[in-house]
Amino acid sequence: MLEIGLTGGIGSGKTRVADMFAARGAALIDTDLLAHEITAPGGSAIAPLLEAFGPRCLRPDGAMDRDGMRALVFSDPDAKARLEGITHPLIRQLTEARAAAVRAAGQHPYLIYVVPLLVESGTWRARVGRVLVVDCQEDTQVARVMARNGFTRDQVQAIMQKQATRAARLAVADDVIDNDGPPDALAPQVERLDALYRTLSAKQAGV
């Protein structure tokens, strides 16, 4: 089975594009959703987070306080390293377990991993057969996130500065979807890549 890593900067439209592939039969594993899963109440990351950061890292419901931790790691590189040291191995373990289940089921033509920090991680390029980047102008990213999240321009740009540059993402891309245009411009691009991925996956399987 062909395995693809899908990435893009904040506000690029990764989730929308991933959902369009899923609607065409692709299996999806979204690492951001897995991060939410392990930091939900009772999740596998909660006990080590408590040990590392104390009760301040949790909300009253027992989930990780994502806003509080985001603010902490933005200002404290050591805290960022400790957080990633806890969450990244757990996310990888869960990702591999879900991928093994998808492969064993044999019900999907190909598998897409949605990885917001694919370039930043430094390991995904070797783990997938192809990298798909959802791309748009940086001004488009800023406008979308401001409208979606109510952030200021400075807040969005601060997040973007922590992410890989647009040029760095495009440098590792095998495939690119342009999401600067109207929503109906996405479907033809997804259709073309869906056909390509089905063909490549069938060849890989020797069909």
Side-chain angles (χ1 to χ4, degrees), residues 48-127:
L49 285 170
L50 269 173
E51 184 175 345
F53 297 101
R56 65 175 176 162
C57 73
L58 299 186
R59 299 193 320 231
D61 66 357
M64 185 182 78
D65 180 352
R66 296 180 73 84
D67 291 339
M69 292 301 293
R70 186 181 297 114
L72 175 63
V73 301
F74 256 71
S75 61
D76 184 347
D78 179 62
K80 182 176 186 288
R82 282 185 288 149
L83 176 64
E84 292 178 348
I86 293 167
T87 59
H88 285 189
L90 293 172
I91 293 168
R92 178 159 186 164
Q93 182 181 34
L94 194 51
T95 298
E96 291 174 350
R98 298 284 168 83
V102 168
R103 296 184 201 109
Q107 296 176 345
H108 300 276
Y110 53 90
L111 168 61
I112 291 180
Y113 302 94
V114 185
V115 190
L117 301 181
L118 181 146
V119 176
E120 294 86 336
S121 76
T123 63
W124 274 98
R125 172 67 273 192
R127 294 168 62 185

Side-chain angles (χ1 to χ4, degrees), residues 37-52:
E37 186 174 326
I38 65 170
T39 57
S44 57
I46 296 300
L49 285 170
L50 269 173
E51 184 175 345

Side-chain angles (χ1 to χ4, degrees), residues 129-204:
R130 295 181 79 84
V131 171
L132 168 59
V133 171
V134 183
D135 181 57
C136 64
Q137 298 286 337
E138 291 180 357
D139 284 347
T140 303
Q141 292 179 252
V142 172
R144 285 177 179 159
V145 179
M146 287 174 67
R148 182 185 71 195
N149 298 86
F151 292 170
T152 66
R153 178 174 293 273
D154 286 347
Q155 286 175 313
V156 181
Q157 289 176 332
I159 294 170
M160 290 170 62
Q161 287 170 4
K162 297 286 186 179
Q163 296 185 338
T165 64
R166 183 184 181 197
R169 285 191 294 271
L170 291 173
V172 303
D174 297 293
D175 308 299
V176 177
I177 284 183
D178 178 359
N179 194 21
D180 256 320
D184 59 7
L186 286 176
Q189 300 179 77
V190 172
E191 290 283 0
R192 178 182 63 81
L193 287 174
D194 174 64
L196 173 65
Y197 295 158
R198 288 173 180 271
T199 299
L200 293 174
S201 196
K203 286 181 179 178
Q204 188 169 306

